[in-house]
Amino acid sequence: MSTIITVENLSRKFGSATAVDGISFEVEQGSIFGFLGPNGAGKTTTINILCTLLSPSSGTAIIDGHDCARESSEVRKKIGIVFQDNTLDKELTAYENLLFHSYLYCVPKGVRKQRIDEALHFVDLHERKDDQVKKFSGGMKRRLEVARSLIHQPKILFLDEPTLGLDPQSRTNLWEFISKLPEEQGVTIFMTTHYMEEAEICRKIAIIDKGKVIARGSPDELKKMVGGDVIYLKTSDNASSLRDIQSLLNLDAEEVGSEIFIPVIGNGDACIPKLISALGERVIAVRMQRPALNDVFLKLTGKDIRPESMSGNNEIKDTIRSYRRKFDK
Ligand SMILES: Nc1ncnc2c1ncn2[C@@H]1O[C@H](COP(=O)(O)OP(=O)(O)OP(=O)(O)O)[C@@H](O)[C@H]1O
Ligand SMILES: [Mg+2]
């Protein structure tokens, strides 16, 4: 598998603040690569350097053999981008937006219409091609932006938070189109997201926090870093419970939102009775799961990648009652 993007020791400062801090990674041609991190981690700054919109303070980024800082026009021919913020002209129709893009990228006149038609079919918007974009839903606008980014047949497509703000159905729908791109159009995808579950689609992932890459690997490799199952506890007194979990049971534990997060080595089943025995009446609820990508971030940084997800979105699957029954036997 050949490498199409190579980033080495890349940094970018804004004044005295360092947005990107000496990051290195590679992206394989024809793969979907995920760049994950919380708000302000440095994802968009990195994309802007790779897309030649921003120069690095130090380090190098090479795309398909061309240096992003020194050979920007060569790099620009190879790439398409869907920006974090919507950049369609809402007064124009879907077709007109794509036509305008084809002029900007000097798509030859003889193939313009065909490329636009194909792209609109690809994202299932051909029937709406003559509607003004202001009449589109958020999901349709995102799909149209993906279609637009394909008109000049880029080798690499950058998607910066492509599903931000979309409802779950539109997110799933958009991923159906995006995931077909490597195979059907031979496009390499570089995507950022802070929806960890979306990154399962990636062949390789780099996790970035505060400008640094803190982990790299396939989704499975990253999850193995957690070690075993993960347990989430709700208790009536998280501070004292946390102390007891660490001192009495000698387990790693972090308070995350309203819960206590405990990554265990191996199988978590055996651990639950011990937790209940140590914490007694303080335990309100327990849930256990195989590690997800979000747990990798939690384990590495002690924080949730999406703090807003902790505010009540967490379904407590297994109630204390079933574990008490097991424990009382
Ligand atoms: N033009 C700029 N001038 C000054 N600081 C900037 C500029 N662009 C980004 N930053 C800072 O650099 C850091 C990284 O920002 P960046 O936009 O790359 O984060 P991000 O990972 O894309 O975040 P988000 O998930 O919110 O999109 C932030 O602290 C941000 O405030
Ligand atoms: Mg961003």
Side-chain angles (χ1 to χ4, degrees):
M1 192 58 69
S2 61
T3 302
I4 195 158
I5 303 178
T6 308
V7 169
E8 269 179 300
N9 265 325
L10 195 70
S11 294
R12 170 70 205 204
K13 289 186 179 206
F14 292 109
S16 59
T18 305
V20 173
D21 194 359
I23 61 170
S24 302
F25 59 84
E26 291 183 345
V27 178
E28 291 168 5
Q29 182 154 14
S31 69
I32 301 183
F33 180 85
F35 203 47
L36 308 193
N39 289 136
K43 304 182 296 295
T44 299
T45 305
T46 305
I47 283 212
N48 285 344
I49 296 171
L50 292 172
C51 292
T52 77
L53 301 171
L54 200 62
S55 53
S57 303
S58 59
T60 51
I62 308 288
I63 289 195
D64 206 22
H66 300 284
D67 187 303
C68 295
R70 287 186 287 110
E71 299 170 272
S72 56
S73 54
E74 285 307 313
V75 171
R76 283 180 196 188
K77 286 181 200 152
K78 314 262 178 186
I79 62 172
I81 178 161
V82 174
F83 291 98
Q84 185 164 352
D85 300 314
N86 197 308
T87 57
L88 295 163
D89 188 324
K90 296 182 189 60
E91 298 301 320
L92 298 182
T93 65
Y95 191 90
E96 287 164 348
N97 265 285
L98 270 47
L99 188 61
F100 183 59
H101 183 88
S102 74
Y103 293 146
L104 285 180
Y105 277 83
C106 305
V107 175
K109 193 172 175 214
V111 295
R112 252 180 235 150
K113 186 175 179 312
Q114 184 201 341
R115 292 236 194 120
I116 295 173
D117 282 337
E118 278 171 8
L120 285 167
H121 277 298
F122 182 70
V123 297
D124 212 7
L125 281 175
H126 198 263
E127 282 182 12
R128 303 291 301 269
K129 73 185 175 69
D130 295 320
D131 283 354
Q132 278 176 301
V133 168
K134 66 182 173 193
K135 296 179 187 156
F136 282 11
S137 69
M140 288 161 73
K141 284 185 203 142
R142 261 349 218 170
R143 269 152 51 204
L144 186 61
E145 290 196 299
V146 171
R148 183 180 61 178
S149 69
L150 297 172
I151 296 290
H152 60 288
Q153 299 186 320
K155 282 181 89 168
I156 307 160
L157 184 57
F158 290 91
L159 301 168
D160 195 0
E161 304 270 0
T163 57
L164 192 67
L166 298 185
D167 60 86
Q169 197 188 342
S170 305
R171 279 168 59 190
T172 310
N173 185 261
L174 185 65
W175 280 116
E176 267 173 40
F177 297 110
I178 295 173
S179 60
K180 283 194 262 177
L181 281 169
E183 206 170 312
E184 292 189 8
Q185 319 252 346
V187 178
T188 303
I189 293 181
F190 183 108
M191 60 172 253
T192 77
T193 183
H194 58 250
Y195 294 120
M196 285 294 207
E197 65 278 14
E198 291 187 349
E200 296 283 348
I201 204 171
C202 300
R203 189 186 298 164
K204 289 276 168 59
I205 289 169
I207 299 182
I208 181 170
D209 186 37
K210 296 183 189 143
K212 288 193 191 319
V213 169
I214 56 168
R216 283 181 301 188
S218 67
D220 280 346
E221 284 164 353
L222 290 171
K223 286 182 214 163
K224 280 191 189 131
M225 291 171 68
V226 178
D229 293 330
V230 292
I231 296 172
Y232 288 87
L233 276 185
K234 264 196 178 215
T235 74
S236 57
D237 180 355
N238 280 353
S240 73
S241 302
L242 198 57
R243 272 198 306 276
D244 287 353
I245 293 166
Q246 287 160 341
S247 63
L248 300 178
L249 301 176
N250 206 16
L251 288 171
D252 255 357
E254 299 276 353
E255 189 172 13
V256 178
S258 59
E259 293 180 296
I260 297 175
F261 163 77
I262 309 160
V264 296
I265 307 294
N267 191 331
D269 274 340
C271 210
I272 288 169
K274 289 183 197 155
L275 282 166
I276 291 167
S277 168
L279 304 181
E281 294 294 320
R282 280 173 289 177
V283 180
I284 299 168
V286 183
R287 67 191 170 97
M288 187 180 79
Q289 63 189 45
R290 297 291 308 140
L293 282 170
N294 196 41
D295 299 314
V296 178
F297 192 76
L298 268 173
K299 163 103 177 168
L300 292 173
T301 67
K303 336 178 273 222
D304 192 35
I305 201 163
R306 268 188 302 158
E308 69 268 30
S309 73
M310 302 307 296
S311 59
N313 225 352
N314 266 331
E315 195 192 346
I316 304 295
K317 290 175 188 152
D318 301 319
T319 62
I320 185 68
R321 217 176 300 134
S322 62
Y323 285 110
R324 277 215 187 279
R325 240 183 267 129
K326 193 170 161 188
F327 182 58
D328 288 341
K329 268 181 196 162

